[in-house]
Amino acid sequence: MVGSSLRSSGARFFSSANLEDLNPVDRVAKIFKDDAVELKEKLLGKRTWSEKKKIFPSHCDVLIVGGGVMGYSTAYWLADRCQGNLRIVLIEKDPTYQKCTSVLSVGGLRQQFSLRENIELSLASADFMRNIKRNLSVDESDPPDISFNPCGYLFLASEKGAHVLQENHALQTSLGAVVELLSPAKLKEKFPFINTDGIELGCHGLENEGWFDPWSLLNAFRRKAIALGVECINGTLKGFGYKAHSQINHLMLPPGQYQHAEKAIIELEDGSERSINFAKLVVAAGCNTGEIGAMLNLGQGQQGILGAPIPIEPRKRFVYVVHCPDAPGLAMPFIIDPSGAYVRREGFGGNYVCGKSPSPEDPEPTCDNMDVDYEFFENEVWPLIAHRVPAFENAKVKNAWAGFYDFNRFDENAFIGLHPAFHNIYVVAGFSGHGIQQSPAVGRAMMELIIDGEFVTIDLKRFGFQRYYDDEPLYESNIV
Ligand SMILES: Cc1cc2nc3c(=O)[nH]c(=O)nc-3n(C[C@H](O)[C@H](O)[C@H](O)COP(=O)(O)OP(=O)(O)OC[C@H]3O[C@@H](n4cnc5c(N)ncnc54)[C@H](O)[C@@H]3O)c2cc1C
């Protein structure tokens, strides 16, 4: 397998000749020669910076597509585990991160989910973030700070949803989450500013919940991954090169038809195209993951396992920042109304962020721009939050932004695992509105899958593609 051997140095560079066009002997000779040239130039320090910038790795052990939290967390865990013995390359098309979901998120962390996996991922990630200085420091004098705001979520349920809240509470506490159920009377006692009309039950998080700065988390993973030897390239994945493997029989393909994707075609910022061979590929492209699936010919009119696309696509969501000096400030939990509208404090100056996903019967906003729909706030968000906390009747919008959920239209849950059509391509995407908080534990799970061949710490088998091919959706009831 090209590039699959563990390597003694994590920081080698090779020129970009097409290695796959060479016979095996010439290929080894070429790699050896490039290594020798690299070593010589490193020792003699002959290469200028502009020349170095032109160097593009010709092959790697693990190629990661996507430099959001999932890509960089996976890169960090792999590099930390293998300590320079694995060549890891990460490709990101948007170095300004203007559209990257990770930096446009609200940064909420909670344990209030309905699926065991989601609860365990968030508990483990909370623990990682609590120890972030120890885990991700590069320079001890400048440790990462993700500005964590401890503040419990308060999920509210009407009569219809109360039993779900109760069942979720039982599962969450059995797994170690510290959450309490509150009757309307108790809610009024604890949060007198909340209107409990139509509310049957509340569930409030007492530990490990709140929000943090998403950019700081992404940057901390990025800095640490780079310090551990991960090579980052600004470029856009455009397609793949394949090798026919007539000797490999894939159980779900006709004999002799398995094609092995082993080369990625990358368009660089200057418009030039380069290719890189990989042993393993991790698709961490967020809402663009379905597009990468199409590049892998999935869902492009073929039969059988190749016939199904990766059903992950962008869904635009708006976040509104409102100013409301009369609102409850520090006393206010992160409120999730039964309608799906949410509101939380932002800083200490009377500002709050709020939003809501569109109802299933409403049209989805188009995803070809980043424009904000202010009417959606007026008609769909403001009335709901002002009904629940009347102080918000005086809220004024100060700012707003749009971002894209990486939405799995099959069941709104993530795919974490090997794609069954390939022996070397992993997917980690489809987290809708709860990916950033789970990224520390998900990155570790990806590392385990790639290095150990199975999930070791948290069993995430149900998040694999099997459920999709078996048509057995796995629904999370607490999607916000
Ligand atoms: C408005 C909003 C609020 C949210 N609030 C929360 C919250 O409170 N809590 C929470 O946990 N989560 C929240 N989320 C969800 C969370 O932000 C995402 O689940 C998470 O950031 C996904 O990370 P990712 O790395 O998978 O994707 P991304 O951050 O989108 O990163 C994927 C990267 O892949 C790159 N890429 C794509 N295609 C290519 C290509 N062909 N070549 C090279 N690079 C490519 C993209 O440029 C992008 O940078 C929110 C999301 C939104 C939109």
Side-chain angles (χ1 to χ4, degrees):
M1 196 180 288
V2 177
S4 65
S5 60
L6 296 184
R7 303 169 65 80
S8 59
S9 155
R12 299 191 200 187
F13 295 94
F14 301 97
S15 65
S16 62
N18 283 335
L19 286 171
E20 70 281 5
D21 296 339
L22 303 174
N23 70 45
V25 175
D26 289 347
R27 189 187 307 188
V28 171
K30 165 107 188 87
I31 290 173
F32 187 70
K33 185 176 154 221
D34 284 352
D35 259 354
V37 170
E38 173 69 16
L39 185 65
K40 185 179 151 206
E41 292 189 356
K42 246 187 193 169
L43 290 175
L44 299 178
K46 277 199 175 156
R47 222 175 256 164
T48 65
W49 172 239
S50 63
E51 282 168 336
K52 277 184 184 159
K53 277 210 314 192
K54 285 185 201 144
I55 299 166
F56 186 90
S58 60
H59 64 281
C60 63
D61 294 301
V62 182
L63 179 68
I64 299 173
V65 183
V69 279
M70 293 305 170
Y72 269 113
S73 174
T74 304
Y76 153 72
W77 282 100
L78 283 169
D80 189 55
R81 168 94 179 255
C82 296
Q83 292 294 318
N85 291 312
L86 203 64
R87 188 165 195 187
I88 304 160
V89 174
L90 184 146
I91 299 188
E92 169 54 50
K93 68 175 178 180
D94 174 19
T96 61
Y97 284 119
Q98 278 178 340
K99 293 185 184 166
C100 173
T101 301
S102 294
V103 301
L104 297 168
S105 119
V106 170
L109 167 68
R110 59 179 157 114
Q111 273 78 58
Q112 298 192 54
F113 290 97
S114 66
L115 292 176
R116 172 191 61 76
E117 290 85 346
N118 282 333
I119 300 167
E120 290 186 333
L121 285 171
S122 286
L123 276 167
S125 295
D127 188 55
F128 183 92
M129 286 192 249
R130 192 177 308 108
N131 297 302
I132 195 156
K133 293 193 169 129
R134 192 187 66 210
N135 292 325
L136 295 184
S137 277
V138 173
D139 169 1
E140 280 181 11
S141 66
D142 183 21
D145 177 3
I146 56 170
S147 306
F148 188 75
N149 277 265
C151 177
Y153 272 66
L154 177 65
F155 273 79
L156 297 170
S158 62
E159 195 182 345
K160 192 170 147 226
H163 72 284
V164 178
L165 211 61
Q166 257 167 338
E167 284 164 20
N168 292 350
H169 172 266
L171 181 63
Q172 289 153 11
T173 49
S174 76
L175 293 169
V178 187
V179 282
E180 66 172 353
L181 287 176
L182 297 169
S183 66
K186 285 268 179 214
L187 277 169
K188 262 285 173 230
E189 211 177 286
K190 203 165 181 181
F191 306 112
F193 46 85
I194 289 183
N195 170 12
T196 53
D197 282 1
I199 298 299
E200 181 75 12
L201 199 61
C203 188
H204 184 219
L206 301 174
E207 270 182 21
N208 286 328
E209 293 198 334
W211 60 88
F212 53 89
D213 177 33
W215 165 245
S216 300
L217 179 66
L218 173 61
N219 203 29
F221 272 129
R222 187 170 172 274
R223 281 185 70 194
K224 187 71 178 182
I226 291 171
L228 288 167
V230 173
E231 294 165 56
C232 305
I233 293 171
N234 293 335
T236 304
L237 175 74
K238 287 289 184 185
F240 291 95
Y242 297 86
K243 192 165 193 169
H245 270 283
S246 53
Q247 72 278 27
I248 297 181
N249 274 336
H250 189 295
L251 287 177
M252 294 165 93
L253 289 171
Q257 287 209 2
Y258 180 60
Q259 289 223 339
H260 170 195
E262 59 167 18
K263 180 168 74 167
I265 317 294
I266 314 291
E267 185 182 281
L268 298 183
E269 284 174 306
D270 62 6
S272 63
E273 263 189 13
R274 311 298 277 266
S275 67
I276 178 166
N277 282 57
F278 55 83
K280 294 185 186 282
L281 175 80
V282 176
V283 182
C287 63
N288 301 120
T289 296
E291 286 171 21
I292 311 279
M295 290 178 203
L296 287 163
N297 295 323
L298 296 169
Q300 301 300 296
Q302 308 222 41
Q303 297 295 309
I305 196 165
L306 298 172
I310 299 179
I312 295 174
E313 63 188 25
R315 291 281 170 98
K316 200 197 241 187
R317 298 292 177 260
F318 308 111
V319 180
Y320 305 94
V321 184
V322 298
H323 185 60
C324 189
D326 308 333
L330 270 178
M332 204 177 86
F334 193 141
I335 298 176
I336 313 288
D337 188 67
S339 61
Y342 68 85
V343 57
R344 71 149 166 87
R345 182 176 52 79
E346 172 75 349
F348 302 102
N351 294 329
Y352 297 80
V353 293
C354 55
K356 180 183 175 292
S357 291
S359 311
E361 57 279 8
D362 290 338
E364 282 285 341
T366 53
C367 289
D368 52 4
N369 59 54
M370 303 293 283
D371 297 349
V372 172
D373 181 350
Y374 287 93
E375 278 184 15
F376 188 77
F377 173 77
E378 300 278 334
N379 300 331
E380 303 284 337
V381 181
W382 192 10
L384 294 168
I385 61 166
H387 173 69
R388 195 54 63 209
V389 180
F392 283 110
E393 273 162 19
N394 297 324
K396 302 241 174 330
V397 177
K398 273 184 72 177
N399 195 358
W401 71 88
F404 300 113
Y405 273 14
D406 46 326
F407 186 89
N408 183 347
R409 58 176 187 272
F410 176 62
D411 61 6
E412 298 187 42
N413 244 319
F415 285 131
I416 303 176
L418 190 63
H419 192 285
F422 307 97
H423 74 278
N424 62 341
I425 299 183
Y426 299 79
V427 174
V428 55
F431 294 84
S432 288
H434 54 266
I436 194 136
Q437 66 191 280
Q438 298 186 338
S439 58
V442 170
R444 180 179 61 184
M446 291 302 296
M447 174 274 287
E448 292 169 354
L449 205 53
I450 291 167
I451 303 296
D452 302 303
E454 59 183 355
F455 296 118
V456 177
T457 320
I458 301 176
D459 181 359
L460 297 176
K461 279 198 280 302
R462 290 201 301 169
F463 279 177
F465 277 89
Q466 198 59 44
R467 71 182 198 275
Y468 178 48
Y469 287 97
D470 292 345
D471 199 16
E472 287 176 0
L474 183 66
Y475 292 111
E476 165 58 61
S477 66
N478 280 0
I479 296 278
V480 176

